Amino acid sequence: MSDVPAPAPSAWNLANVLTAGRVLLVPFFAWAMLVESGDSVAGRLVAAAVFALAALTDRFDGWWARRTGQVTDLGKLLDPIADKLLVGTALVLLSALGDLWWWVTIVILVRELGITVMRFFLLRYVVLPASRGGKVKTVLQTVAIGLYVLPLFALPAWVGTLAAVAMAAALVVTVVTGIDYVRVAVRIVRTAAPGATRAARARDAS
């Protein structure tokens, strides 16, 4: 049996190429949203299609990377950046166009960026994985934003009602899971900090 380690997967495998493609879709999505100041039915439909495509590649690239053993450090870094760039752009544009209250956008973005920064600082203790609630949050945000991107002004009123209900559910789950992540992070720091302090003292005494 050979002891030669398996070669590391290429940084530019299919999963990472799809993730990078998702980043490149963001400017095109923004352009489509802003056609005729957001009042173009065709532009909004194109934006919705681009958003849906990006969301599908988000689901596929992670699954493919795990299935084929092509998980890389680049992918771990690029994937959340691509997700937050797409969601953040969509939320800001929807609010700028008057389709979504600014406070909703601010609450969601503060939560997303705050948890991302918190995860970064927790790396000294542990990698904080996405919870089941976090995954539900992602699905709800995707559905809600996808509905709001549609030309609601040209669709039956019930579509707008459905979009509002989906966004309300996404907002609640976003806040609740954010609080839960903070609770878990505090417990991790409190548990790990005494051991880290003892290790530091041992190094200082040596």
Side-chain angles (χ1 to χ4, degrees):
M1 184 175 180
S2 174
D3 293 331
V4 178
S10 169
W12 291 109
N13 53 56
L14 176 60
N16 289 351
V17 168
L18 288 174
T19 303
R22 196 158 69 251
V23 174
L24 296 176
L25 283 175
V26 172
F28 186 64
F29 165 79
W31 168 81
M33 280 287 292
L34 294 172
V35 172
E36 296 181 11
S37 299
D39 293 330
S40 168
V41 172
R44 295 294 284 259
L45 289 175
V46 169
V50 172
F51 187 85
L53 176 62
L56 286 174
T57 62
D58 181 32
R59 300 279 74 81
F60 177 78
D61 58 16
W63 171 83
W64 181 260
R66 292 187 296 272
R67 186 175 186 274
T68 59
Q70 295 183 341
V71 176
T72 65
D73 289 339
L74 177 62
K76 293 177 183 178
L77 175 66
L78 194 59
D79 188 67
I81 291 175
D83 295 344
K84 287 171 178 53
L85 186 60
L86 178 66
V87 168
T89 299
L91 289 171
V92 169
L93 288 177
L94 286 171
S95 292
L97 293 171
D99 295 332
L100 185 66
W101 286 317
W102 271 109
W103 70 265
V104 174
T105 292
I106 291 170
V107 168
I108 293 176
L109 292 184
V110 167
R111 186 274 192 196
E112 296 296 333
L113 295 176
I115 297 302
T116 299
V117 172
M118 186 186 73
R119 273 197 170 114
F120 174 78
F121 284 106
L122 281 178
L123 287 176
R124 62 183 297 186
Y125 302 115
V126 67
V127 175
L128 187 63
S131 65
R132 182 175 298 178
K135 294 175 181 178
V136 172
K137 177 269 302 180
T138 300
V139 172
L140 287 174
Q141 283 184 0
T142 301
V143 171
I145 293 171
L147 287 171
Y148 266 95
V149 168
L150 290 170
L152 297 179
F153 52 83
L155 296 175
W158 66 265
V159 181
T161 301
L162 180 61
V165 171
M167 185 60 75
L171 183 63
V172 170
V173 176
T174 295
V175 172
V176 170
T177 55
I179 294 172
D180 187 60
Y181 276 127
V182 171
R183 179 185 60 81
V184 172
V186 169
R187 188 174 69 241
I188 290 172
V189 172
R190 285 179 175 174
T191 302
T197 301
R198 287 195 296 271
R201 288 174 177 170
R203 287 196 302 270
D204 293 339
S206 62

